[in-house]
Structure formats: C-alpha cells, structure tokens
Amino acid sequence: MTLNKTLIFSLFLTFIAIFVSCEDDSASSSSLRDFVGVEEAKNVGIVLGETVVVESKIYASESVSIDRTFDLIVDPSSTHAQADFVVPASVTIPAGSKEGVFQVSLTGNNIDNEGNLLVLSLSELSGVNQSSTGTNPVVSKPKKKIVYNISEVCQTGLTKVQLSIKFDNFPEETAWELYDSSFNVVASGGFTGTTITGYAALGFADQDTFISNFCLAPGTYTFVIYDDYGDGMYTNATISGNYSLKFLDGTVLASGGGDFGAFEDTEFTIQ
C-alpha cells in the first residue's frame, strides 16, 4: 500500500508540473501577443511658420489574423498648441503584420524657447485571433507613449542664438536692443516705444530669468543692455543680475552683469 500511495503521489506531482508548465507557456504566449511598442522619442525641428509631416510607427511582438486598430489619444502632458498639429484618430496594424504606420502634421507656431511637446497614448484593444490552433483572444495593452520633442530651427543660412537675462531685484529697469551693422534694430525687449518699461510689467519677478531665441544672418552685430536707474543689474553685494548671448553650442557672443551703469554694449560677428 505504501508503494502504491507513493506512486500515486508522484504521478499527481508530475501532472501538476505539466499543468503549471502549460499555464506558463500560455501566459507567456498571451503576454507576447499583448505587447505593442512605439518608436523612441522623435526630435522635430521646424522653421517658424512652416509645417512638417512626421511618419511614426508602432510595433507588435507577434502578427495575428485580424487588423488591430488603436485610437490615438493626445496626452494632457502635451504643450504644443492644438491648432498647430493634426493627429489621425487611429493607427492600424494590418492582419498578418507586426507594424502600424501613421503620420502627424506639425506647424512651427508658438514654440517655447525650451521647446514644445506632443505626447500620444494608444487605446487598449480587444479582439479575436483565428489561428491554425483555434480561436484565441487578443488583448493589447500598450504601455509606452509616443513623444515628439518640437523645437524651432532657423532657415538655411541663418544661425540660432539664445539670449538669457537673469534679473536683479529690479526687472522693471532692464531693457535691451540688438543692432545690425547698419544700426537697424534686429530685436529688442523691455521697451514700450522708446521708453524703458522693463520686464516686471511682462510678469517677471525679482531674480527671474528671461530667455529668447532668434535667427541671425552672417554679419556684424551690436548688443546693448540698458538699466533705467543707471546702476546696471546690481542690487547689493549678494544680489546681482547677469546676461549672456550665445550660440546653441555654448559659444559666448556677449555677456556681463553687475553694475555696468546706464548701458553696456558688445560687438560680435557671425560668419
């Protein structure tokens, strides 16, 4: 009797092991069939006012016998204005394929100096796959999001530069102008007409930082920064403002800060 009981118990354990193994294989296969991935984040540079069309793809780890169509949902974390993009309602992975393709239209308006984001999510999908082994459910639950990093780029022949101004405790006193070689004003800030009104009226607080990007043609320029009170960007020994005008690679074209009096000017050349 003892031998029979031992044999029966051993057969029972073998049955359980086979059953669990089959369950694991089924779960693994289901998990593989469920997986849908997306491309890496795309960096999209757009000339101001122009529109570009970006092709994007999603990928399934397995092909199935049915079309798999996912809704494309604009994620709340997006910062690119809704009027400046067109996203299709859905994307389909055709039956027998592992890849779905769609196109997004992006327009270069209202792009922040730090760049904008368009983030898309994919809806979940339920369906039925007819295969040689029978009918199997298909439940796809995409986890990753499709991200577009949108930045403004310059037209061919122009160079992008960035102006950064960190104010002292009197942003209302700061203004600036950029002149070309013929002393035409190319860009400016902190003025109302010819009067310095500074940056407090524009919503900047003490010690805030203002950043602006613009595109310049080859030539010689003069950057001038003004202080309406006449003591530069200086509040006291521990609080002082500063500014810099740079290429995007970090090369400095003009910089300064502290007590420079009523104004400070720097000439530079772009090749």
Side-chain angles (χ1 to χ4, degrees):
M1 289 294 292
T2 303
L3 181 60
N4 288 339
K5 287 183 178 179
T6 302
L7 180 60
I8 292 172
F9 184 69
S10 297
L11 290 173
F12 176 74
L13 290 179
T14 301
F15 173 77
I16 291 297
I18 293 171
F19 179 78
V20 170
S21 176
C22 290
E23 284 287 287
D24 288 344
D25 288 345
S26 175
S28 175
S29 175
S30 175
S31 175
L32 197 62
R33 202 166 49 241
D34 292 351
F35 180 77
V36 176
V38 302
E39 291 183 293
E40 294 295 324
K42 288 180 174 287
N43 298 318
V44 185
I46 312 176
V47 173
L48 183 64
E50 293 189 0
T51 298
V52 299
V53 176
V54 182
E55 183 177 277
S56 298
K57 297 179 180 180
I58 63 172
Y59 304 95
S61 53
E62 284 191 349
S63 61
V64 297
S65 65
I66 59 170
D67 289 352
R68 286 170 284 182
T69 299
F70 301 87
D71 293 338
L72 287 166
I73 304 163
V74 178
D75 194 84
S77 62
S78 299
T79 58
H80 201 53
Q82 187 171 359
D84 295 322
F85 63 81
V86 178
V87 175
S90 62
V91 54
T92 298
I93 301 177
S97 176
K98 298 180 182 180
E99 181 178 292
V101 181
F102 65 98
Q103 294 182 327
V104 170
S105 175
L106 300 168
T107 301
N109 293 328
N110 307 305
I111 299 176
D112 291 341
N113 293 308
E114 298 80 11
N116 290 358
L117 283 176
L118 175 61
V119 182
L120 304 179
S121 302
L122 296 171
S123 63
E124 294 186 4
L125 171 75
S126 297
V128 177
N129 174 40
Q130 302 289 343
S131 69
S132 59
T133 59
T135 299
N136 300 304
V138 176
V139 181
S140 298
K141 299 179 179 180
K143 299 298 183 184
K144 292 189 176 180
K145 297 177 181 180
I146 305 165
V147 179
Y148 304 85
N149 297 308
I150 304 165
S151 61
E152 182 184 337
V153 297
C154 297
Q155 294 179 344
T156 302
L158 303 183
T159 301
K160 193 171 186 177
V161 298
Q162 183 174 90
L163 171 64
S164 176
I165 302 175
K166 181 179 180 181
F167 303 108
D168 60 1
N169 279 359
F170 299 96
E172 63 271 21
E173 297 174 358
T174 301
W176 59 275
E177 291 177 314
L178 180 64
Y179 295 90
D180 63 16
S181 58
S182 299
F183 292 99
N184 299 307
V185 176
V186 175
S188 65
F191 286 95
T192 299
T194 58
T195 302
I196 294 176
T197 50
Y199 279 84
L202 299 175
F204 288 85
D206 297 354
Q207 301 177 54
D208 272 357
T209 298
F210 163 81
I211 296 176
S212 181
N213 298 318
F214 33 88
C215 300
L216 299 178
T220 299
Y221 297 86
T222 301
F223 177 78
V224 186
I225 190 162
Y226 303 92
D227 181 78
D228 195 39
Y229 190 74
D231 63 350
M233 304 173 72
Y234 180 86
T235 300
N236 54 48
T238 59
I239 300 175
S240 184
N242 59 75
Y243 67 91
S244 65
L245 186 67
K246 301 178 180 180
F247 290 136
L248 296 188
D249 66 4
T251 302
V252 177
L253 303 171
S255 64
D259 186 358
F260 53 73
F263 71 93
E264 185 169 64
D265 62 290
T266 305
E267 183 180 286
F268 62 91
T269 300
I270 292 181
Q271 302 297 331

